């Protein structure tokens, strides 16, 4: 923890610890009673990939973790959230990051849903190039997006809109949707609400 009198920590990029993912996957798989084979089949991934993730090895990406979350019927954050301290400060260049294989797109979980609430908050950055295509999330998911810098195109397939700094958009997250940076240095905040 740092206080206002101490210097901020060095600006480094945090990778998501594999131990968090492994423990979360084991916990959620046990909760659902699914075998390794059945969960891998439902998520559309190789059984060996799931086995590696549960052994805290491998290199998980956004797509694999989203597929597992949907197959388990839990929010994405349930698989990646760290144990939370009582007071938490996440500086602009810190936080657990998960990168996409499809696009230059990195998600940083800022706040997972506390008990009784069902929402997650992410800070994201993206660069022009390939769009980040997202499969539908768990039923009832609604996304709220606010652009901080740059320009982007986002939304459900066929209903995408171009957004500039300060623009807000909301849409169903339980249908296929995408995010695409139109300018270098595009950043946005995404709130995922699960009903």
């Amino acid at each position: 923890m740092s206080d206002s009198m101490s210097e901020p920590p060095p600006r480094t990029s945090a990778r998501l610890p594999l131990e968090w993912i492994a423990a979360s996957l084991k916990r959620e798989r046990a909760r659902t009673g699914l075998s390794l084979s059945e969960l891998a089949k439902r998520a559309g991934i190789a059984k060996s990939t799931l086995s590696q993730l549960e052994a805290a090895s491998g290199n998980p990406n956004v797509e694999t973790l989203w597929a597992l979350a949907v197959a388990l019927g839990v929010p994405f954050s349930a698989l990646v959230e760290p144990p939370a301290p009582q007071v938490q400060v996440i500086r602009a260049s810190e936080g657990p990051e998960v990168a996409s294989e499809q696009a230059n797109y990195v998600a940083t979980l800022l706040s997972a849903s506390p008990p009784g609430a069902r929402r997650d908050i992410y800070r994201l950055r993206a660069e022009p190039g390939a769009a980040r295509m997202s499969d539908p999330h768990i039923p009832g998911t609604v996304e709220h997006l606010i652009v901080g810098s740059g320009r982007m195109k986002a939304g459900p397939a066929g209903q995408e809109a171009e957004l500039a700094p300060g623009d807000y958009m909301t849409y169903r997250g339980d249908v296929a949707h995408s995010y695409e940076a139109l300018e270098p240095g595009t950043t946005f905040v995404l709130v995922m609400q699960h009903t």
Side-chain angles (χ1 to χ4, degrees):
M1 299 260 190
S2 61
D3 59 47
S4 59
M5 300 301 289
S6 65
E7 289 186 30
R11 297 177 75 88
T12 59
S13 178
R15 292 293 301 167
L16 193 63
L18 293 175
E19 295 78 21
W20 295 350
I21 295 170
S24 298
L25 282 171
K26 289 176 191 174
R27 178 191 69 233
E28 294 301 329
R29 191 166 63 79
R31 181 189 56 80
T32 61
L34 293 173
S35 69
L36 204 66
S37 297
E38 183 60 25
L39 177 55
K41 180 180 173 185
R42 288 184 185 190
I45 64 170
K47 181 180 172 183
S48 60
T49 299
L50 179 55
S51 180
Q52 286 178 341
L53 291 176
E54 285 197 1
S57 62
N59 188 18
N61 58 53
V62 169
E63 292 79 14
T64 298
L65 294 175
W66 277 117
L68 287 164
V70 170
L72 288 164
V74 298
F76 176 78
S77 62
L79 300 182
V80 299
E81 66 183 329
Q86 288 185 330
V87 175
Q88 183 177 21
V89 174
I90 300 176
R91 306 238 181 248
S93 63
E94 299 176 341
E97 295 181 343
V98 182
S100 171
E101 284 188 338
Q102 298 175 355
N104 190 343
Y105 175 97
V106 179
T108 303
L109 177 65
L110 298 178
S111 174
S113 255
R118 297 196 33 103
R119 60 99 188 113
D120 304 322
I121 303 172
Y122 297 89
R123 177 184 65 235
L124 297 121
R125 65 181 189 274
E127 296 296 331
R132 162 70 174 95
M133 309 304 292
S134 182
D135 290 329
H137 304 311
I138 60 176
T141 299
V142 175
E143 294 192 356
H144 304 267
L145 187 152
I146 302 169
V147 177
S149 62
R151 282 187 325 104
M152 67 182 300
K153 184 165 71 170
Q159 297 179 306
E160 296 90 347
E162 283 196 26
L163 305 168
D167 288 350
Y168 163 81
M169 179 181 198
T170 186
Y171 50 88
R172 289 180 51 194
D174 57 3
V175 297
H177 53 283
S178 65
Y179 318 91
E180 181 180 2
L182 302 175
E183 288 182 4
T186 296
T187 63
F188 58 103
V189 171
L190 179 68
V191 177
M192 294 186 69
Q193 171 185 321
H194 310 285
T195 57

